[in-house]
Amino acid sequence: MKVCDENKCSGCYACYNVCPKKCILVEDNGDTTKANIDENECIHCNLCKKVCPVYNECTFIYPKNCYEGWIKDDEKRKYSSSGGIASAIMTKFIQNGGFVAACAFIDGEFKFKLTNDIKDIKWFRGSKYVKSKPYDIYNEIKNCLIHNKVLFIGLPCQVSGLFLYLNKKNIDNLFTIDLICHGTPTQALFQSFYYENSDKNIKSHNKISFRKKHNFQVYCDDKPIEYEGVQDAYTIAFLEGLTYSENCYSCKYARIERISDITLGDSWSYLGNDAAKGVSLVLVQTDKGEKLLNDEDIYLHKCDINSAINSNHQLNHPSIMPKQRKYFFENYKSIGFVKTVKKSLPKKYFKQKLKKLMIKIGLYRK
């Protein structure tokens, strides 16, 4: 028995957190996630369906302000994927006595951590192009909110799951940031790629990242799996939308109206000379969101919301499922991740191989 259809499940873990019998297991199938119910333990309380974003809606709000900006500290901006706004907000929030819940790479998995230690912020930095696992974080946040303010940073479907789980209790102490998301491959799929290209246990790494500014590729402890400056097969597939979970292609959060206090992403329409340093796009929906941005360490200026939409299609519609996706998921386990990407996206794949050769012989500057 399933909480919802697996092609609709976002793996938000709200059902996992609310179940009084702890009889729900969220299964990662590579192309989908599925929340399975142990019928022998289920007491049919129906709480899982009451918190599932598939059956329930959160309030969508049109942004009241749209900004471009970055953290003023150039060193912190350097180590952020875009402008470092999230790092600045998290730092100030903890300095003011609050807790932050965000995704980090821990013990071989991308999962959430709740902390009030500023030293942990470095683990939250950077884009994570994989579906993170909230596990018990909603329960932890619920207990923390009784006496503390909490900032939650996650994907829109995860923010929705948290709101539905809390059921409007103690949300005055809750601040939320959602990230502009084009879609996410599952962790099982990422591990298929990883172990095909590495003989190390994934738990041996302190950090796995997917991007350095405008350079997109998988890094393990800051060392690229592919040649530096060359996109690996996982990144090629991700950027072409080939490997997202099935539910991502019908995502109801892919719209300009948002459910969080703040929405963060990249400002791809920014034309300034310092664009290479990284520029954040900031959509503000609520007064609580404006308060989060009241920080002397952040530089912001207003920008045109239509330009933001035009340069981030996920603010207008979900990613479109490529016709090659079916072939990929039917074959990657049998013939290998890299080979299946090569067959699915030959032009993109061989373009990167040519780039690698040109870098090696000095005809292309990284």
Side-chain angles (χ1 to χ4, degrees):
M1 185 165 63
K2 300 186 290 288
V3 176
C4 66
D5 292 340
E6 61 185 291
N7 64 333
K8 294 182 179 179
C9 178
S10 65
C12 75
Y13 277 76
C15 58
Y16 176 94
N17 278 258
V18 80
C19 179
K21 298 295 289 183
K22 300 299 177 187
C23 65
I24 295 176
L25 176 66
V26 181
E27 178 184 341
D28 184 341
N29 294 319
D31 62 335
T32 61
T33 54
K34 180 170 61 175
N36 293 316
I37 303 171
D38 184 343
E39 295 185 56
N40 294 322
E41 295 293 328
C42 180
I43 58 175
H44 304 285
C45 64
N46 214 35
L47 287 175
C48 56
K49 294 186 184 299
K50 290 180 180 178
V51 300
C52 177
V54 172
Y55 302 113
N56 304 277
E57 293 287 350
C58 286
T59 301
F60 286 87
I61 309 168
Y62 192 87
K64 59 190 296 185
N65 281 308
C66 179
Y67 300 104
E68 292 173 322
W70 49 82
I71 189 170
K72 292 179 181 177
D73 187 320
D74 278 345
E75 190 68 14
K76 291 179 180 178
R77 186 181 179 188
K78 176 181 177 181
Y79 289 104
S80 299
S81 292
S82 53
I85 298 292
S87 293
I89 292 174
M90 287 188 286
T91 300
K92 189 68 171 288
F93 199 86
I94 290 176
Q95 287 174 339
N96 288 337
F99 284 72
V100 171
C103 179
F105 180 71
I106 304 170
D107 297 328
E109 289 187 296
F110 294 90
K111 53 189 177 182
F112 279 78
K113 178 182 178 69
L114 178 66
T115 184
N116 63 347
D117 188 344
I118 287 178
K119 294 178 182 177
D120 288 330
I121 292 176
K122 65 181 179 180
W123 304 115
F124 297 149
R125 287 196 192 108
S127 300
K128 300 169 180 69
Y129 298 139
V130 66
K131 191 179 293 295
S132 53
K133 297 182 179 181
Y135 286 123
D136 288 303
I137 197 67
Y138 303 155
N139 281 322
E140 293 181 43
I141 290 172
K142 179 181 178 181
N143 293 328
C144 190
L145 282 170
I146 296 172
H147 300 295
N148 304 279
K149 291 183 178 181
V150 176
L151 170 63
F152 179 79
I153 303 178
L155 303 179
C157 52
Q158 294 165 341
V159 175
S160 179
L162 175 60
F163 277 144
L164 291 166
Y165 169 77
L166 291 174
N167 194 25
K168 300 182 180 180
K169 295 177 182 177
N170 288 324
I171 60 172
D172 287 344
N173 279 345
L174 177 67
F175 295 75
T176 56
I177 296 176
D178 76 79
L179 307 172
I180 298 175
C181 171
H182 293 263
T184 50
T186 69
Q187 294 198 45
L189 189 64
F190 174 73
Q191 289 192 12
S192 293
F193 163 79
Y194 174 82
Y195 282 114
E196 187 177 310
N197 292 275
S198 176
D199 57 3
K200 291 184 178 181
N201 190 313
I202 196 169
K203 292 184 179 181
S204 68
H205 298 294
N206 292 317
K207 176 185 176 184
I208 292 181
S209 57
F210 299 81
R211 176 181 169 192
K212 289 183 179 179
K213 294 303 181 186
H214 293 86
N215 189 39
F216 295 80
Q217 61 185 115
V218 177
Y219 294 89
C220 300
D221 294 324
D222 292 322
K223 295 181 180 179
I225 277 188
E226 182 53 272
Y227 200 79
E228 181 69 56
V230 179
Q231 290 173 9
D232 49 73
Y234 182 85
T235 305
I236 293 169
F238 174 83
L239 293 176
E240 292 301 307
L242 184 70
T243 49
Y244 304 158
S245 294
E246 190 167 342
N247 71 288
C248 296
Y249 303 101
S250 58
C251 177
K252 63 182 177 181
Y253 307 102
R255 52 195 283 189
I256 188 57
E257 298 84 5
R258 315 301 291 179
I259 62 172
S260 299
D261 297 308
I262 288 177
T263 297
L264 292 178
D266 287 277
S267 185
W268 299 114
S269 61
Y270 179 77
L271 300 176
N273 293 331
D274 58 345
K277 292 183 178 181
V279 181
S280 297
L281 175 67
V282 187
L283 305 178
V284 184
Q285 285 71 246
T286 68
D287 291 341
K288 289 167 76 173
E290 290 286 6
K291 289 179 182 178
L292 287 174
L293 294 171
N294 186 20
D295 187 343
E296 61 186 14
D297 294 327
I298 295 174
Y299 170 77
L300 293 173
H301 68 268
K302 285 194 174 183
C303 62
D304 179 44
I305 195 165
N306 292 316
S307 295
I309 295 171
N310 291 336
S311 60
N312 283 278
H313 79 73
Q314 203 70 6
L315 296 177
N316 193 28
H317 62 81
S319 293
I320 297 170
M321 184 185 294
K323 61 182 181 180
Q324 304 97 321
R325 184 180 183 275
K326 185 174 184 292
Y327 171 83
F328 176 85
F329 280 103
E330 286 178 347
N331 291 279
Y332 82 94
K333 289 182 180 179
S334 59
I335 68 174
F337 191 105
V338 175
K339 191 172 182 179
T340 312
V341 170
K342 180 170 67 173
K343 288 181 174 292
S344 301
L345 302 165
K347 290 183 180 179
K348 299 291 182 179
Y349 181 84
F350 286 109
K351 180 180 178 181
Q352 292 302 314
K353 290 301 178 185
L354 177 60
K355 182 179 179 182
K356 179 178 179 178
L357 176 62
M358 293 176 70
I359 291 173
K360 282 187 171 183
I361 62 177
L363 294 178
Y364 188 97
R365 183 177 296 177
K366 292 182 284 185

